[in-house]
Amino acid sequence: MSGEFNLIDKYLVGRQSRRKDVLLAAGDDCALVKSPSNVSIAVSTDTLVAGTHFLESANPSWVAHKALASNISDLAAMGATPAWVSFALTMPEPKEEWLAPFCDSFFKLADYFGIQLIGGDTTKGPLSLTLTVQGFVPEDQALRRSGAKIGDWIYVTGDLGDSKAGLDVILDDTLREKEGASILESRHYLSSPRVLVGQALLNTASSAIDISDGLISDLNHILQRSGVGASIDVSLLPISQELREFTQNEELAQQYALTSGEEYELCFTVPEENKGAIESVLNHTGTKVTCIGQIRPEGTLELHSNGTIVDWQLSGYDHFKVKQ
Amino acid sequence: MSGEFNLIDKYLVGRQSRRKDVLLAAGDDCALVKSPSNVSIAVSTDTLVAGTHFLESANPSWVAHKALASNISDLAAMGATPAWVSFALTMPEPKEEWLAPFCDSFFKLADYFGIQLIGGDTTKGPLSLTLTVQGFVPEDQALRRSGAKIGDWIYVTGDLGDSKAGLDVILDDTLREKEGASILESRHYLSSPRVLVGQALLNTASSAIDISDGLISDLNHILQRSGVGASIDVSLLPISQELREFTQNEELAQQYALTSGEEYELCFTVPEENKGAIESVLNHTGTKVTCIGQIRPEGTLELHSNGTIVDWQLSGYDHFKVKQ
């Protein structure tokens, strides 16, 4: 881009330390990078559109974090180590007061994970952002959705449900007075991609996915790909103190945990023989993980609470019957 | 994406033959690909936004061709061989009558160049498209903008100016009656990325760029990066019969050739000692190339016509003085 969009160069070019595998990052027709030998390259592309994925008025530093974190989370779900990111930003006009905090936040998160910006495009149009992230995973070891076996245990990282409660707050100002509302709002934007967990699970988990559409929906992707069913004990779902206070209702909090999208926690399955090792394998990551159920043969996703079947009419729940 | 956007899967998944270096293309958190050893990976990202880069009413098969061709052209300019593409499509609602011709055209061009779609994202929002293409170039041999030396000869592929004339037709229906108008309109959308030329130039050219902003603007990128100037003989510019008939004025046609953007032809420089080899090196590509000038020491871009300096006030021409 030429003209006023050169402003963006000021914020994007030369902002971070160089990786040795980036031979050329900007200023030519392409970036040039070099893959290590004996790895697969994991590639993920995500778009965030103003009005669909964030409000136009949202804090630009939160938007940057959400965009990059959601992409890194896809790498984490395969057990990949992040390396490079390409960046396509479309905005009506370049505004320094938006770009400065946006880029500060973007590069802070990129630097944290050792990711280098290798190029991209800035164009004029309705506000949106498309990122393509790439990372490395040891050959033939990537965590896939298709590896879950009957009897494997189902785990999730972190707490679930906060992102949905945060979205409630964002969309309804009257909820701002509720206990924990501002913490939940920030959690909607400021997830922590579970890169260390994904890497640690490479030889331990049988399948993994990141929770972007909601636990039920994403677990169902594992079930479909693996040709199995599952049983989840909703009483085991990890729920934050803030979500408990926000919902004032344990069942409602559990329903939030089951359907909350854009959590960017991992859901993964572990064979019985590896269950004992999980704690020590993940100890260095400092991330809470919780066993919430087990893979079953039948092609359905059954919910129970301490053994009593629950039959909640969750939004879109009839979609969640496993298609074999 | 879930719900109605699943429609898009129908058009995007499993539409082309698999490359052996694509281990996993769709249906998981990331694609998994494998780079050959001894190559650099060239990566380019471009966004096309409706209203900025194409009209919302444009023929969807032409939009698809333009989007992918402009990205492939960036690979061609580095001498890279295309391999993979990631795809991010944002549209207000999925329309089969738009997606079907769009995807037919997209995969036709991708297949022609042996490119596999390795994933992407489809989101709801104002119509736009971001592609990230990747390709391979032998290590340390990529054509860069920075290699032009004083005395090198300046070449361009194909004809120049048609894209700008085509845009005139697109934006002004009264021009449709002009000679060659419909051919020029289609040329604006349907460029031919010069992949074979880029590959053939790997050991012959000293620098290269693709013409996306206009010859003067793009050549100026080479001059800036290489720290040199240039002299162009406008009487040598390759101009199509259709553009001659459209402009009815040789000087105007030359000015179109100098400033026409989105041509996706290559501009490259060749050292004196390789000049004799150019014809045989490029013979198998079937692509016309034309020598239009020479690299000079002074930091300016001088235009002349058969030795007589021309001083045209081209749009934005004062920007074209080389910044050292």
Side-chain angles (χ1 to χ4, degrees):
Chain A
M1 282 300 290
S2 52
E4 58 181 0
F5 275 82
N6 282 337
L7 177 64
I8 292 176
D9 284 352
K10 173 177 156 191
Y11 289 101
L12 292 178
V13 175
R15 280 288 294 268
Q16 57 188 158
S17 55
R18 286 183 68 86
R19 289 176 61 98
K20 285 187 181 163
D21 53 16
V22 178
L23 311 172
L24 185 66
D28 216 304
D29 292 286
C30 298
L32 293 174
V33 295
K34 177 83 188 143
S35 164
S37 50
N38 304 320
V39 303
S40 300
I41 305 172
V43 187
S44 172
T45 295
D46 273 309
T47 298
L48 271 71
V49 183
T52 303
H53 302 93
F54 61 91
L55 296 182
E56 197 115 14
S57 60
N59 181 334
S61 69
W62 288 7
V63 172
H65 185 103
K66 183 175 174 178
L68 185 53
S70 65
N71 268 272
I72 295 172
S73 179
D74 283 319
L75 294 177
M78 306 287 285
T81 301
W84 315 312
V85 62
S86 306
F87 178 101
L89 176 65
T90 301
M91 57 194 316
E93 51 179 346
K95 282 188 204 156
E96 290 213 56
E97 65 273 23
W98 194 91
L99 279 167
F102 178 91
C103 291
D104 284 347
S105 169
F106 184 88
F107 287 114
K108 187 177 166 191
L109 186 61
D111 286 345
Y112 181 84
F113 284 109
I115 299 172
Q116 185 168 342
L117 177 69
I118 58 167
D121 197 9
T122 51
T123 49
K124 188 180 172 74
L127 185 61
S128 78
L129 180 66
T130 296
L131 301 179
T132 296
V133 293
Q134 305 198 60
F136 310 132
V137 60
E139 221 163 355
D140 302 324
Q141 288 187 37
L143 299 169
R144 301 191 180 199
R145 298 176 178 178
S146 53
K149 298 275 187 304
I150 295 161
D152 289 357
W153 297 94
I154 301 166
Y155 288 79
V156 292
T157 58
D159 290 321
L160 297 181
D162 288 358
S163 173
K164 182 177 168 69
L167 186 60
D168 288 351
V169 174
I170 291 162
L171 297 176
D172 182 354
D173 274 339
T174 65
L175 297 175
R176 290 188 184 278
E177 289 162 21
K178 276 202 166 189
E179 198 76 43
S182 64
I183 292 175
L184 292 166
E185 181 188 10
S186 69
R187 283 191 189 149
H188 175 78
Y189 284 104
L190 303 177
S191 63
S192 302
R194 302 304 189 185
V195 170
L196 283 177
V197 173
Q199 292 167 331
L201 289 174
L202 280 177
N203 292 302
T204 307
S206 53
S207 72
I209 194 170
D210 77 320
I211 301 175
S212 54
D213 295 335
L215 174 61
I216 287 184
S217 184
D218 291 311
L219 175 57
N220 202 49
H221 289 310
I222 286 183
L223 304 186
Q224 284 184 34
R225 287 263 154 192
S226 302
V228 293
S231 170
I232 298 293
D233 184 346
V234 298
S235 75
L236 299 176
L237 290 166
I239 288 166
S240 71
Q241 190 55 34
E242 289 80 8
L243 183 59
R244 282 214 164 79
E245 287 166 3
F246 183 82
T247 57
Q248 297 282 328
N249 176 320
E250 186 69 11
E251 283 200 358
L252 185 58
Q254 289 165 353
Q255 291 170 4
Y256 269 57
L258 289 168
T259 58
S260 176
E262 302 176 338
E263 289 282 342
Y264 305 119
E265 298 292 348
L266 297 186
C267 173
F268 58 94
T269 60
V270 177
E272 171 70 24
E273 62 267 29
N274 292 345
K275 194 168 192 275
I278 276 292
E279 207 166 308
S280 61
V281 162
L282 295 181
N283 192 41
H284 73 286
T285 69
T287 303
K288 177 172 82 170
V289 300
T290 309
C291 182
I292 58 166
Q294 199 171 18
I295 297 295
R296 291 285 172 82
E298 63 269 21
T300 53
L301 174 49
E302 174 202 278
L303 304 180
H304 67 91
S305 181
N306 277 317
T308 306
I309 296 287
V310 298
D311 188 21
W312 293 332
Q313 296 305 307
L314 301 176
S315 161
Y317 185 68
D318 58 354
H319 290 160
F320 301 138
K321 192 169 160 95
V322 182
K323 296 168 208 139
Q324 299 282 0
Chain B
M1 282 300 289
S2 52
E4 59 181 357
F5 275 83
N6 283 336
L7 177 64
I8 292 176
D9 284 353
K10 174 176 154 191
Y11 289 102
L12 292 178
V13 175
R15 278 288 293 269
Q16 57 189 158
S17 56
R18 285 182 67 87
R19 290 175 60 98
K20 285 187 180 161
D21 55 14
V22 177
L23 312 172
L24 184 67
D28 216 303
D29 292 286
C30 299
L32 292 174
V33 295
K34 177 85 187 140
S35 165
S37 50
N38 305 321
V39 304
S40 300
I41 306 171
V43 187
S44 173
T45 296
D46 272 310
T47 299
L48 270 71
V49 183
T52 303
H53 303 93
F54 61 91
L55 296 182
E56 197 115 14
S57 59
N59 181 334
S61 69
W62 287 7
V63 173
H65 185 103
K66 182 175 174 178
L68 185 54
S70 64
N71 268 272
I72 296 172
S73 179
D74 283 319
L75 294 177
M78 306 288 285
T81 301
W84 314 312
V85 61
S86 306
F87 178 102
L89 175 65
T90 301
M91 57 194 313
E93 52 181 345
K95 282 188 203 153
E96 292 212 54
E97 65 272 23
W98 194 91
L99 279 167
F102 178 91
C103 291
D104 283 348
S105 169
F106 184 88
F107 287 114
K108 187 177 167 193
L109 186 61
D111 286 345
Y112 182 83
F113 284 108
I115 299 174
Q116 185 169 341
L117 177 69
I118 59 167
D121 196 9
T122 51
T123 50
K124 188 180 171 74
L127 185 61
S128 78
L129 181 65
T130 296
L131 301 179
T132 296
V133 293
Q134 305 197 58
F136 310 133
V137 60
E139 222 162 356
D140 302 325
Q141 288 187 37
L143 298 170
R144 301 191 179 201
R145 298 177 179 178
S146 53
K149 298 274 186 303
I150 296 161
D152 288 357
W153 297 95
I154 302 167
Y155 287 80
V156 292
T157 59
D159 290 321
L160 297 181
D162 288 358
S163 173
K164 183 177 166 69
L167 187 60
D168 288 352
V169 174
I170 292 163
L171 297 177
D172 182 355
D173 274 339
T174 65
L175 298 175
R176 288 187 185 280
E177 290 163 21
K178 276 200 165 190
E179 199 76 45
S182 64
I183 292 174
L184 292 166
E185 182 188 11
S186 70
R187 284 192 188 148
H188 174 79
Y189 283 104
L190 304 178
S191 62
S192 303
R194 300 305 187 185
V195 171
L196 284 178
V197 173
Q199 292 166 333
L201 289 174
L202 279 178
N203 293 301
T204 307
S206 54
S207 72
I209 193 169
D210 76 321
I211 300 175
S212 53
D213 294 336
L215 174 62
I216 288 184
S217 183
D218 290 312
L219 175 57
N220 201 50
H221 289 308
I222 288 183
L223 304 185
Q224 284 183 34
R225 286 264 154 191
S226 302
V228 293
S231 169
I232 299 293
D233 183 346
V234 299
S235 73
L236 299 176
L237 290 166
I239 289 166
S240 71
Q241 191 56 34
E242 289 80 7
L243 183 61
R244 282 215 165 78
E245 287 165 4
F246 184 82
T247 57
Q248 298 281 330
N249 176 320
E250 187 69 13
E251 282 200 0
L252 185 58
Q254 289 165 352
Q255 291 170 5
Y256 269 56
L258 289 169
T259 58
S260 176
E262 301 176 337
E263 289 283 341
Y264 306 118
E265 297 292 350
L266 297 187
C267 173
F268 57 95
T269 59
V270 177
E272 171 70 23
E273 63 266 30
N274 292 346
K275 193 168 192 277
I278 276 292
E279 207 166 307
S280 60
V281 161
L282 295 181
N283 191 41
H284 72 287
T285 69
T287 303
K288 177 172 83 171
V289 301
T290 310
C291 182
I292 58 166
Q294 197 171 19
I295 296 295
R296 291 285 173 84
E298 63 271 20
T300 52
L301 174 49
E302 175 201 278
L303 304 180
H304 66 92
S305 182
N306 277 317
T308 306
I309 295 288
V310 299
D311 188 21
W312 293 332
Q313 296 304 306
L314 302 175
S315 162
Y317 184 69
D318 58 353
H319 290 161
F320 301 137
K321 190 166 160 103
V322 183
K323 296 169 207 142
Q324 300 282 1

